[in-house]
Amino acid sequence: MNLSYKNAGVDVEAGYRAVELMKESVRSTYTKGVLGGIGGFGGLFEPDLAGMKRPVLVSGTDGVGTKLKLAFQLDKHDTVGIDCVAMCVNDILCAGAAPLFFLDYIVCEKVIPERVASVVSGIAEGCKQAGAALLGGETAEHPGCFPENEYDLVGFCSGIVDYEKRIDGSTIRPGDVLVGLPSSGLHSNGFSLYRKVYPFPSAELMLEMLTPTRIYVNDIAALREKVTVKGLANITGGGWIENIPRMLPGGLEAVMRPDAVPVPEIFQRIMRDGDVPPEDMYNTANMGVGMVACLSPEDAEQAGYPVIGRVAEGSRKITLW
């Protein structure tokens, strides 16, 4: 047998087929800043800088993590792409950035065109929710590196903010309040714990756990139209305890009230079935709050979200009471 790339495990024809199947999804995300189309070696984007005095680019990268294991088990791949976009976009939102474009990287043991297209359809949906263009990406076959029918998914997002309108926490003061924006469920972190609690979850439970991460672009834009947002914290890996202090300047701490919002049943169930202490859950999961905003006390009522804590003098940590 003559040795070829296909004999070695890489099927370039399957890659071409995957690109054809995803083209419509990708094009559906294009905004007016996109220059050119699919197939180039790099994506071109012309940002609208009108009205900006000092435009600053903000970029972020993240993946979906072991939540993908549920997608493999259920053979459902059309929502994890939304998670991938959300994990990147929600991070750059914390600087006040408006998303411009997104890039994805899918790496797998073997390219199955229909599966790749399903993943990209979710990425495209996430991009549309975020107002970002899916500017490019890469699908790579790595034979011998992954279990059969598995893949990894990573995203990269760039946005823009006028430097004077950035959110950096520098104006946060003792007495400011912290409000919580609701999550859509487990989002896309903590799944190494959740899968330990449920090694063989039912199809119904897997569907609930696969609920995509909420994308907060429109929520934050609406909030900033009503009030001045001093700081933002995306509640991802590390839960409340790690992420909320990240928005605070030195010499301040967050004093939180976990009982200010009801904990969704899925989190209560995990704690109950896995005998997971509340402290560990708040250090892992979002517990129903996917984004936390810091506001002046007088803006709290107008914001329309529950007050879940306040800022006090301290050592850049979080206290739960």
Side-chain angles (χ1 to χ4, degrees):
M1 180 182 69
N2 293 328
L3 191 60
S4 67
Y5 209 14
K6 188 171 184 177
N7 296 148
V10 178
D11 187 348
V12 294
E13 295 295 331
Y16 301 153
R17 172 65 176 158
V19 171
E20 285 300 316
L21 291 175
M22 71 176 71
K23 278 184 176 180
E24 185 176 345
S25 292
V26 175
R27 289 197 186 102
S28 72
T29 72
Y30 281 3
T31 61
K32 64 179 182 180
V34 177
L35 304 177
I38 301 170
F41 289 98
L44 278 68
F45 191 93
E46 183 178 17
D48 182 1
L49 305 181
M52 289 193 177
K53 295 180 180 179
R54 187 180 172 186
V56 176
L57 294 176
V58 183
S59 297
T61 183
D62 208 339
V64 180
T66 62
K67 185 174 186 176
L68 288 173
K69 284 287 190 180
L70 299 181
F72 306 152
Q73 286 178 262
L74 203 57
D75 195 21
K76 178 176 172 59
H77 309 278
D78 60 342
T79 61
V80 290
I82 302 175
D83 288 296
C84 192
V85 175
M87 297 299 285
C88 300
V89 165
N90 289 343
D91 274 350
I92 71 167
L93 279 179
C94 293
L100 294 175
F101 56 82
F102 186 84
L103 305 172
D104 68 80
Y105 179 66
I106 304 169
V107 57
C108 54
E109 172 75 13
K110 179 178 177 59
V111 168
I112 300 175
E114 292 75 16
R115 180 177 298 163
V116 171
S118 183
V119 172
V120 173
S121 73
I123 295 171
E125 172 59 29
C127 285
K128 286 185 279 190
Q129 291 182 25
L134 180 50
L135 195 59
E138 171 71 5
T139 301
E141 254 181 345
H142 288 184
C145 292
F146 287 84
E148 188 176 359
N149 295 326
E150 293 196 4
Y151 55 85
D152 200 5
L153 175 61
V154 181
F156 312 85
C157 181
S158 287
I160 195 166
V161 64
D162 196 331
Y163 186 77
E164 294 181 356
K165 297 180 180 179
R166 73 193 186 284
I167 299 172
D168 63 1
S170 61
T171 62
I172 297 176
R173 299 290 182 267
D176 285 340
V177 298
L178 301 168
V179 300
L181 283 65
S183 69
S184 56
L186 299 177
H187 284 188
S188 195
N189 62 276
F191 276 81
S192 295
L193 170 63
Y194 312 149
R195 292 188 304 108
K196 196 76 172 179
V197 176
Y198 302 112
F200 304 104
S202 67
E204 181 181 6
L205 179 56
M206 280 195 285
L207 278 173
E208 182 177 0
M209 296 171 79
L210 279 172
T211 299
T213 305
R214 182 168 175 168
I215 293 174
Y216 290 94
V217 172
N218 294 332
D219 301 284
I220 298 304
L223 183 61
R224 296 188 78 183
E225 287 182 359
K226 295 188 290 185
V227 299
T228 297
V229 176
K230 294 186 170 189
L232 285 171
N234 182 23
I235 310 303
T236 57
W240 289 32
I241 292 174
E242 179 181 340
N243 290 293
I244 293 174
R246 293 171 65 181
M247 76 168 105
L248 301 176
L252 298 178
E253 69 177 49
V255 183
M256 307 302 297
R257 289 189 55 193
D259 61 350
V261 289
V263 176
E265 171 58 29
I266 185 65
F267 298 100
Q268 295 184 43
R269 180 176 177 180
I270 290 168
M271 286 192 290
R272 183 173 60 247
D273 293 348
D275 194 23
V276 182
E279 295 80 6
D280 284 343
M281 283 298 289
Y282 279 96
N283 202 24
T284 302
N286 67 67
M287 303 302 280
V289 175
M291 185 77 73
V292 175
C294 182
L295 316 172
S296 296
E298 58 269 22
D299 287 337
E301 185 174 349
Q302 189 178 358
Y305 295 108
V307 174
I308 62 171
R310 59 181 174 84
V311 178
E313 293 184 357
S315 56
R316 208 162 182 259
K317 63 178 183 178
I318 181 173
T319 301
L320 302 177
W321 95 75

